[in-house]
Amino acid sequence: CTPFERRLWLLDQTINDRGIAVDVDLARAALRAADRSAVDLARRSDELTEGGVKSTTQRDVLKQYIDTEHGVEMADLTKGTVADMLKKDDIDPDLRELLTIRQQASATSPAKYRTLLKGVSADGRLRGTLQFCGAMRTGRWGGRLFQPQNLPRPTLKRAAIEAGIAAMKLDCEDLVFGNVMELCASAVRGSLVASPGKKLVISDLSNIEGRVAAWIAGEDWKLEAFKAYDKSKSELDDIYVRAYAKAFGVTPEQVIDNKKHGDGMMRQLGKIMELALGFGGSIGAFSTMAKLYGVELPEEEILRIVKAWRKAHLNIVAYWYDLESAVRWAMNFPGERSKLRDIEIDVVDGWLRVRLPSGRYLCYPNVGKNDDNEIVYDGVNQYTRKWERIKTYGGKLFENIVQATARDVLAHGMIKAEETGYPVCLHVHDELITEVPDDVSYAVADLSRMMGSTLPWSMGLPLAAAGFETHRYRKD
């Protein structure tokens, strides 16, 4: 353990002990609202099915009813499958309502509120929500208890959420909102608040993984694009605009024109490309990401997009393969060290070690090859939580390196914030949440400047952060 990591661990204990204030009244009100809504939804499903389905949370009963009474065979009733069915124009109105009820009734947000009420201390603060190095392969933090890293994205606007919070506390949310479960989900973040006399100053590292990926691999045009945006804040320099323009040989002006006067698909595809394709992903990765944004394209079109993105990112693509080659070389020559730009790789006593720019190591125990000549190591399966042989490859190793480096950038920002009088009470992904006196001398511009400052080991990496000040946590 390096002195920096020990210092960071001690800060992590302080942050977990400090915790964050909870609006207990909101949590209780939201649970009451959710319980009332659940009763109403169950009653309506009973009416629609004439007693056949007492509640749409009865998954198997509902699935059989849909198959028998509506003649529609659904593979399952997961969120994605139900959403896909609701997109169709030709389904029976009663089935549409039944599936809509299923969507609402299966919301997980009530569980978040219950966890808050069970976990909050007598002084109204929630503690112990972060696990140091919870993500074993990168050293990122894991969320625990309330799982702050896995909060639902709000679908309602800020003003509507604030109105909804007030309505739930008055037990009259149903007079204002038709979908009470949507309100509960959108208001979860708002359960975390500043203590009386304090405010939350929040700042988020801007596109940190995209920046780190370009920096690690030497994708210079992209680094310049990030720098240009940081300086101009112009939509012409937006990275999703630039990425699409670079991939398809159009100008940023054409992408913006499509956004303002067309269907906006150019920038949307630029965003999906950036989120899905940076770590070796292809058709499957793009399709999965596109689905989250309501975009569906034929396979041949997706393949064209993948090829265009890779042609525009020759250095990143080359780095995937160079990285895998360097690992295989190190496996063949234990104790010898290879270097790819700022990344160093060796194998010592069966451990594959990847030295990050920060000096921290990523370690993969018992590295070897399987019968298919794939690189494998001992690790915990993220789904089964059991130790087993894990396969990896150049793109996945690159993803680990990028995410780990982004974590190190955030870690330095945490320490700097703490030293400068901005006590961290929580952090979510690449976002710091600090609780400070409700005074103008504490400003988001100062916190963002600290987080975006150049580190001794990050010369050439363009960093930027931005955020807001609030008394109730939200997604800005």
Side-chain angles (χ1 to χ4, degrees):
C1 178
T2 65
F4 179 82
E5 284 296 307
R6 173 171 169 74
R7 185 180 177 191
L8 186 63
W9 179 81
L10 290 171
L11 173 57
D12 173 76
Q13 307 311 298
T14 298
I15 294 170
N16 271 304
D17 289 345
R18 179 181 292 141
I20 187 168
V22 174
D23 186 342
V24 175
D25 290 340
L26 168 58
R28 289 172 177 160
L31 279 179
R32 293 196 303 271
D35 288 344
R36 286 190 293 268
S37 179
V39 171
D40 291 341
L41 292 172
R43 182 175 60 247
R44 182 55 183 155
S45 66
D46 186 49
E47 292 172 353
L48 280 171
T49 62
E50 297 180 343
V53 181
K54 298 295 183 183
S55 171
T56 56
T57 57
Q58 297 175 312
R59 182 190 58 199
D60 294 338
V61 174
L62 176 60
K63 188 174 181 299
Q64 184 177 358
Y65 179 87
I66 293 172
D67 187 6
T68 304
E69 300 298 326
H70 289 278
V72 176
E73 186 175 348
M74 298 181 66
D76 52 56
L77 292 174
T78 60
K79 182 179 179 181
T81 303
V82 171
D84 287 343
M85 181 62 71
L86 287 172
K87 291 177 184 176
K88 298 181 178 180
D89 298 325
D90 57 349
I91 66 173
D92 182 87
D94 285 350
L95 175 57
R96 180 179 297 278
E97 184 176 357
L98 200 58
L99 291 175
T100 300
I101 291 172
R102 165 68 185 180
Q103 276 189 324
Q104 295 180 40
S106 58
T108 59
S109 55
K112 292 283 189 184
Y113 291 109
R114 292 190 189 96
T115 301
L116 276 175
L117 293 176
K118 288 179 181 178
V120 68
S121 301
D123 63 353
R125 297 185 77 86
L126 181 70
R127 297 177 170 87
T129 60
L130 301 168
Q131 182 179 2
F132 189 74
C133 289
M136 296 179 65
R137 290 189 269 284
T138 62
R140 278 185 170 271
W141 280 265
R144 297 297 178 262
L145 299 177
F146 178 60
Q147 294 282 358
Q149 318 287 354
N150 190 30
L151 295 174
R153 180 176 289 274
T155 54
L156 298 176
K157 294 187 180 299
R158 190 191 314 167
I161 294 173
E162 289 293 341
I165 289 173
M168 285 192 291
K169 288 184 175 183
L170 292 172
D171 293 318
C172 64
E173 70 290 332
D174 58 323
L175 300 178
V176 186
F177 292 87
N179 189 338
V180 174
M181 291 302 189
E182 180 184 26
L183 170 61
C184 289
S186 293
V188 167
R189 276 182 171 82
S191 299
L192 306 179
V193 295
S195 300
K198 300 288 186 70
K199 64 180 177 180
L200 301 179
V201 177
I202 300 170
S203 188
D204 187 47
L205 287 165
S206 174
N207 205 327
I208 183 62
E209 289 190 9
R211 293 167 185 257
V212 170
W215 179 63
I216 292 286
E219 201 66 75
D220 292 336
W221 74 264
K222 204 165 194 177
L223 293 174
E224 292 305 315
F226 281 120
K227 292 175 185 176
Y229 180 76
D230 293 341
K231 184 176 181 179
S232 71
K233 301 300 181 185
S234 167
E235 59 183 357
L236 289 172
D237 293 319
D238 174 83
I239 195 61
Y240 301 140
V241 170
R242 287 290 192 97
Y244 186 93
K246 179 76 173 179
F248 291 100
V250 299
T251 65
E253 287 80 4
Q254 287 174 287
V255 181
I256 296 301
D257 184 68
N258 173 259
K259 178 183 175 183
K260 292 181 176 179
H261 307 294
D263 59 7
M265 190 55 68
M266 287 183 175
R267 184 186 183 279
Q268 184 79 317
L269 289 178
K271 182 175 184 178
I272 296 169
M273 288 157 53
E274 286 298 290
L275 296 176
L277 304 180
F279 305 123
S282 186
I283 294 174
F286 185 94
S287 298
T288 300
M289 185 63 67
K291 198 171 184 179
L292 296 176
Y293 290 90
V295 176
E296 294 188 28
L297 297 172
E299 189 170 300
E300 59 270 20
E301 177 63 15
I302 295 175
L303 182 59
R304 185 180 76 90
I305 292 171
V306 171
K307 288 181 177 179
W309 188 91
R310 292 186 176 185
K311 186 176 180 181
H313 294 79
L314 295 177
N315 287 343
I316 287 178
V317 174
Y319 203 87
W320 301 338
Y321 297 103
D322 291 344
L323 188 58
E324 183 165 335
S325 295
V327 170
R328 290 181 180 275
W329 182 89
M331 291 166 65
N332 290 331
F333 299 96
E336 298 293 325
R337 179 172 293 188
S338 61
K339 186 172 182 179
L340 285 175
R341 293 175 57 83
D342 292 327
I343 302 298
E344 297 179 4
I345 299 166
D346 62 13
V347 174
V348 177
D349 296 330
W351 290 74
L352 169 63
R353 306 191 311 167
V354 179
R355 189 179 188 277
L356 302 172
S358 65
R360 185 166 67 93
Y361 280 87
L362 299 185
C363 297
Y364 302 81
N366 197 21
V367 66
K369 301 174 188 175
N370 62 15
D371 293 340
D372 296 321
N373 198 36
E374 298 168 310
I375 301 171
V376 293
Y377 62 93
D378 290 344
V380 176
N381 184 300
Q382 61 178 325
Y383 302 108
T384 66
R385 312 309 298 174
K386 295 180 179 179
W387 277 88
E388 59 184 51
R389 295 296 272 171
I390 305 290
K391 293 188 293 186
T392 193
Y393 54 93
K396 176 58 69 173
L397 290 165
F398 185 59
E399 180 181 33
N400 290 170
I401 290 168
V402 168
Q403 290 184 349
T405 302
R407 174 267 196 193
D408 292 345
V409 172
L410 179 70
H412 279 271
M414 288 168 55
I415 287 179
K416 189 169 289 188
E418 195 78 20
E419 289 177 339
T420 317
Y422 285 75
V424 179
C425 56
L426 188 64
H427 49 92
V428 179
H429 299 302
D430 304 309
E431 177 185 67
L432 283 189
I433 304 163
T434 68
E435 186 179 43
V436 299
D438 193 357
D439 185 279
V440 293
S441 60
Y442 294 88
V444 67
D446 293 333
L447 179 61
S448 297
R449 195 177 304 113
M450 286 181 258
M451 293 179 66
S453 60
T454 301
L455 307 172
W457 49 265
S458 69
M459 298 302 295
L461 170 60
L463 295 174
F468 55 95
E469 300 174 20
T470 182
H471 293 96
R472 187 183 295 280
Y473 183 44
R474 65 175 192 262
K475 186 73 176 176
D476 206 35

